[in-house]
Amino acid sequence: MFTTRPTLQGTFGMVSSTHWLASQSAMAVLEDGGNAYDAAVAAGFVLHVVEPHLNGPAGEVPIIVGPADGPVRVVCGQGVAPAGATVAHYRSLGLDLVPGTGPLAAAVPGAFDAWMLLLRDHGTKSLADVLKYAIGYAEDGHAPVERVGETVETVRELFEREWPSSAAVYLVDGAAPRPGELLRNPALAATWRRLIAEATTIAEAGTVTEAGTVTEAGTGSRTEQIDAAREIWRTGFIAEALVAQAGRPTLDTSGRRHTGTLTAADLAGWQATYEDPVTYDWNGWTLCKAGGWSQGPAFLQQLALLPRELPAYGSADYVHLLVEGCKLAMADREAWYGDAAQVPVDELLSTAYNAGRRELIGSKASYELRPGSPGGREPRLSAHARAVASGELDADTLAARHAGAGEPTVDGSGATRGDTCHLDIVDRWGNMVAATPSGGWLQSNPVVPELGFPLGTRLQMAWLDEGLPNSLTPGRRPRTTLTPSLALRDGVPVMAFGTPGGDQQDQWQVHFFLAVALRAHVRGGLDLQGAIDAPNWHNDSFPGSFHPRGMRPGSLTVEARMDRDVVEELRRRGHDVTVGEEWSEGRLCAVARDPRTGVLSAGANPRGMQGYAVGR
């Protein structure tokens, strides 16, 4: 089968990410004796520099860790809503949705601490070792991909009129970043240099405890230094600058200026944590995802909804089955997922429940939002979700109420639904990691002038209705779309994968996984590149996670490479099909390991021409 690139194979290490500089930086760490976790942290911080329109240090990242000799764990790098982020407060400001930009949308930043927790507990390198690549690209500059400058141009007026600290980084002498010319962020480089220096001093002077106090004289060890860096982020000069920025009145998507709710106490009181993955067994595979605070279980439920015998891969029957199953899983996501209530994941993935749900899949496309009733519970939807599902709030009405829509489109008011990054790594020892960093986009909030990066906007995914699993609730995580994946066979990690794409992530990943599982192998291993390159599709028949949270009932967007007869048959079945560009759906990364031979594999998305896999 034709592919854009080969599936790479080797035995030393494999990296796949959404930017070649991140992939190569991670590979440099492996070459220097580091493991997959050291490499992941280095790549994550490089992604903050080279894809600033897609992620930043004050964003968030879920990470799935698959050690060669231990249990799979999820590192939760999704921060919680600040103590002052109550439904009542936002309603008192005249809001019916959390704004898509500005400090009101900022959760407690989660990405930095998650990377540090991973480095401390699973890595071997020092803070300086993993940060030197990001510091170099920020200080000396890098040639940006086209989309960085295109994104900046869409918010030029906002930067020049309202967000001067962002203009200082991304509109130097009035010019947006251009390919082939160096983009620098000296403030960000200075932040990391100062962090390393202060953390080193603290680590040598005394040990920082989990409570943030300094005890006996330290040894200057790497773990002491990393703990010191975490404390500086939470309570030191970085925390002070983040809180000051949150308190500055900022124009957001509501068309008004608001201050945020983030305080010093919020920052000091939160740390990244470990948790067990949610898993599902399918045809000899065990799929691992983050819990119901993410959309990860929706991937698993789509597998649970499949019948024992599947239609021919790529046929109209096959696409129809997956689209209709996705609608049911996403309707359950809307009704049941979130951190403000217990998510009934076991029931949502149970055989009996999904057998009943499967009966709802007919021969025609559904235009309804149909959440189920696990355990006999009555589903509850937000008023906004009910309105968009009923057609009371259609696309035109939402556009009139809230300027800006689409992902990752941005308009002059700053309305945005920024995109995401992804990275997967496997090392020669068999350690595997999948991470999906996002948030803290350059278009989400003004750059914090003292730091060189902005706050995030993940609270826009929480509802301003009381009593829902995803209601805006202090101390609770907003439901996130970020959803890396890890696959096991016989209890051993064999594949890590993921993609940017917001609500599409657990659609494209299902299609990719099934392409890997159902189709021929290549060179004795999994055909990762063939599955990545295969024509992909998505639907928007459920309320979106990003402001202004619209829905397109019956919609189905396919790549132009999909067989024309299949497209016409889908239309006959009632799908509202939009044929997109030939290479427009899915931006997957993947690595794999054959535990029998130790052979490693990798593939990367050709769409957008910036994702690359490297390895040997």
Side-chain angles (χ1 to χ4, degrees):
M1 185 185 70
F2 169 78
T3 61
T4 58
R5 313 166 183 181
T7 293
L8 305 184
Q9 290 193 321
T11 56
F12 180 80
M14 289 285 162
V15 180
S16 180
S17 88
T18 49
H19 197 289
W20 62 83
L21 292 179
S23 294
Q24 191 54 52
S25 297
M27 195 65 201
V29 174
L30 295 180
E31 296 282 4
D32 193 42
N35 63 22
Y37 312 116
D38 297 312
V41 177
F45 279 88
V46 169
L47 287 172
H48 298 160
V49 178
V50 300
E51 294 189 322
H53 58 310
L54 304 180
N55 78 134
E60 44 276 325
V61 58
I63 307 168
I64 303 187
V65 178
D69 57 356
V72 175
R73 297 285 277 165
V74 173
V75 179
C76 174
Q78 174 56 65
V80 299
T86 64
V87 169
H89 174 60
Y90 285 63
R91 290 288 189 182
S92 74
L93 299 174
L95 298 170
D96 58 356
L97 292 175
V98 176
T101 60
L104 273 180
V108 176
F112 176 86
D113 199 60
W115 289 125
M116 290 297 100
L117 186 64
L118 179 68
L119 181 65
R120 186 194 72 181
D121 294 348
H122 296 277
T124 65
K125 294 291 188 180
S126 70
L127 189 62
D129 286 337
V130 296
L131 286 180
K132 66 183 180 183
Y133 305 94
I135 291 172
Y137 288 125
E139 194 166 62
D140 301 328
H142 70 283
V145 295
E146 288 83 352
R147 188 60 182 141
V148 176
E150 292 169 0
T151 301
V152 171
E153 286 293 355
T154 63
V155 287
R156 170 184 286 275
E157 182 181 352
L158 177 71
F159 280 13
E160 291 177 336
R161 188 181 71 246
E162 296 282 345
W163 296 7
S165 60
S166 298
V169 177
Y170 295 108
L171 287 171
V172 178
D173 296 326
R178 289 189 289 268
E181 297 186 8
L182 293 178
L183 170 61
R184 295 181 173 88
N185 190 340
L188 178 57
T191 294
W192 297 146
R193 288 193 182 281
R194 181 177 173 184
L195 177 75
I196 293 168
E198 291 192 8
T200 301
T201 299
I202 293 172
E204 292 174 350
T207 301
V208 180
T209 70
E210 289 295 324
T213 59
V214 179
T215 59
E216 70 277 1
T219 64
S221 69
R222 61 175 294 276
T223 55
E224 290 172 347
Q225 186 188 44
I226 293 165
D227 280 335
R230 298 174 71 197
E231 187 63 22
I232 292 166
W233 177 276
R234 289 195 294 266
T235 65
F237 78 95
I238 294 177
E240 292 171 359
L242 292 172
V243 171
Q245 183 63 49
R248 295 182 179 116
T250 301
L251 182 69
D252 58 37
T253 52
S254 71
R256 290 172 284 156
R257 292 175 180 82
H258 292 111
T259 57
T261 60
L262 185 68
T263 67
D266 295 317
L267 277 164
W270 184 86
Q271 298 182 44
T273 55
Y274 291 104
E275 58 187 56
D276 293 330
V278 176
T279 63
Y280 185 77
D281 294 331
W282 186 85
N283 285 12
W285 298 78
T286 298
L287 285 305
C288 303
K289 301 289 281 187
W293 54 270
S294 77
Q295 69 172 346
F299 175 102
L300 306 178
Q301 190 178 356
Q302 288 175 77
L303 297 182
L305 283 162
L306 295 176
R308 186 177 298 274
E309 297 294 329
L310 295 179
Y313 176 87
S315 66
D317 287 339
Y318 179 85
V319 177
H320 175 78
L321 174 68
L322 292 185
V323 170
E324 294 305 298
C326 174
K327 292 175 185 177
L328 295 173
M330 289 302 200
D332 279 343
R333 182 194 76 163
E334 189 57 48
W336 300 108
Y337 291 21
D339 196 34
Q342 188 69 34
V343 181
V345 171
D346 290 344
E347 289 163 298
L348 288 168
L349 298 180
S350 70
T351 300
Y353 178 75
N354 285 289
R357 298 286 277 158
R358 192 181 305 121
E359 294 177 358
L360 297 176
I361 300 176
S363 60
K364 294 291 186 179
S366 169
Y367 279 58
E368 299 177 74
L369 186 68
R370 299 180 290 179
S373 301
R377 304 171 181 85
E378 189 67 25
R380 290 190 59 197
L381 299 174
S382 70
H384 183 92
R386 292 195 303 271
V388 296
S390 68
E392 178 186 338
L393 282 178
D394 58 18
D396 291 338
T397 303
L398 283 170
R401 285 192 182 184
H402 307 286
E407 183 178 348
T409 60
V410 191
D411 73 7
S413 73
T416 177
R417 294 197 292 180
D419 213 330
T420 303
C421 309
H422 187 79
L423 63 89
D424 301 301
I425 304 176
V426 59
D427 62 29
R428 63 188 182 274
W429 301 287
N431 300 305
M432 197 171 286
V433 61
T436 309
S438 186
W441 312 305
L442 68 86
Q443 66 274 21
S444 63
N445 260 298
V447 165
V448 183
E450 302 92 335
L451 303 178
F453 58 85
L455 286 163
T457 54
R458 192 60 55 173
L459 289 187
Q460 67 181 287
M461 297 187 173
W463 292 116
L464 296 182
D465 299 55
E466 298 281 10
L468 302 175
N470 193 32
S471 296
L472 181 66
T473 308
R476 295 291 183 173
R477 295 166 288 191
R479 190 195 72 210
T480 180
T481 54
L482 308 176
T483 174
S485 301
L486 195 78
L488 315 177
R489 290 188 76 88
D490 299 321
V492 177
V494 296
M495 185 166 65
F497 58 99
T499 178
D503 294 310
Q504 290 101 338
Q505 288 182 32
D506 277 325
Q507 301 184 57
W508 294 335
Q509 290 188 70
V510 167
H511 310 159
F512 162 81
F513 169 72
L514 290 175
V516 169
L518 298 174
R519 300 170 74 188
H521 289 193
V522 60
R523 298 195 187 103
L526 301 175
D527 186 9
L528 302 182
Q529 195 63 50
I532 289 169
D533 288 354
N536 218 317
W537 65 90
H538 83 274
N539 82 91
D540 297 297
S541 295
F542 47 87
S545 297
F546 294 87
H547 188 280
R549 315 202 67 170
M551 172 178 170
R552 293 173 55 216
S555 68
L556 176 59
T557 302
V558 305
E559 289 183 321
R561 294 181 296 128
M562 183 176 282
D563 184 274
R564 291 183 181 179
D565 290 340
V566 171
V567 172
E568 290 309 310
E569 175 59 25
L570 291 168
R571 284 176 170 149
R572 281 192 290 272
R573 296 185 185 203
H575 296 278
D576 182 10
V577 180
T578 297
V579 178
E581 296 180 4
E582 290 189 340
W583 297 90
S584 55
E585 291 288 313
R587 295 186 287 286
L588 284 135
C589 301
V591 299
R593 179 179 183 271
D594 187 334
R596 298 178 300 106
T597 63
V599 171
L600 313 178
S601 304
N605 171 53
R607 301 162 179 88
M609 296 193 297
Q610 65 191 68
Y612 271 87
V614 297
R616 70 172 177 86

